[in-house]
Amino acid sequence: MRETDQIIHEFAGRLRQTEEYRTYEERRDRVREYPGLMDEINEFRKRNYLMQKSEGELFDKIDAFAREYEEFRSNPVVDQYLRAELAVCRMVQNIYTEIAEAIDLEITLDM
């Protein structure tokens, strides 16, 4: 195994041991106890993503989206899952940032 592969393998194992990831797994397992709920969460994510990528008055779209999904988000199982998922996503974003800052590739794009 290449050295980088070994480092990644070990690091991924450590990430799975973090409180954020363990909480995410617990919440994900709880969501899976409700048939169809993960499909609803995936639809929520899809619509949220498409809304954010759309043109026009984003504030109005966000407001309408929040109103539309207010009851859905008030479900504690959904809310806890999405919060745990966000915590893991933020952890991964921080990792990407740290790696990017630690490696000086000096890549420039002259056009």
Side-chain angles (χ1 to χ4, degrees), residues 43-54 65:
E43 180 64 23
F44 168 80
R45 281 195 205 108
K46 177 182 171 185
R47 297 221 24 231
N48 188 21
Y49 173 78
L50 292 173
M51 176 202 49
Q52 290 182 33
K53 298 297 277 182
S54 68
F65 182 80

Side-chain angles (χ1 to χ4, degrees), residues 65-82:
F65 182 80
R67 281 194 311 272
E68 180 181 351
Y69 279 97
E70 184 175 7
E71 184 177 336
F72 179 70
R73 288 295 310 262
S74 71
N75 178 334
V77 174
V78 171
D79 186 60
Q80 290 171 359
Y81 171 76
L82 291 173

Side-chain angles (χ1 to χ4, degrees), residues 31-101:
V31 165
R32 289 178 177 167
E33 292 175 12
Y34 297 88
L37 188 56
M38 187 58 79
D39 292 335
E40 291 180 52
I41 289 171
N42 287 334
E43 180 64 23
F44 168 80
R45 281 195 205 108
K46 177 182 171 185
R47 297 221 24 231
N48 188 21
Y49 173 78
L50 292 173
M51 176 202 49
Q52 290 182 33
K53 298 297 277 182
S54 68
E55 302 283 327
E57 285 295 320
L58 189 56
F59 179 78
D60 293 336
K61 290 178 183 180
I62 290 171
D63 189 47
F65 182 80
R67 281 194 311 272
E68 180 181 351
Y69 279 97
E70 184 175 7
E71 184 177 336
F72 179 70
R73 288 295 310 262
S74 71
N75 178 334
V77 174
V78 171
D79 186 60
Q80 290 171 359
Y81 171 76
L82 291 173
R83 288 178 188 274
E85 180 182 66
L86 180 60
V88 171
C89 289
R90 285 184 175 151
M91 179 177 63
V92 171
Q93 285 175 330
N94 289 336
I95 291 166
Y96 288 151
T97 299
E98 290 291 324
I99 291 170
E101 290 174 356

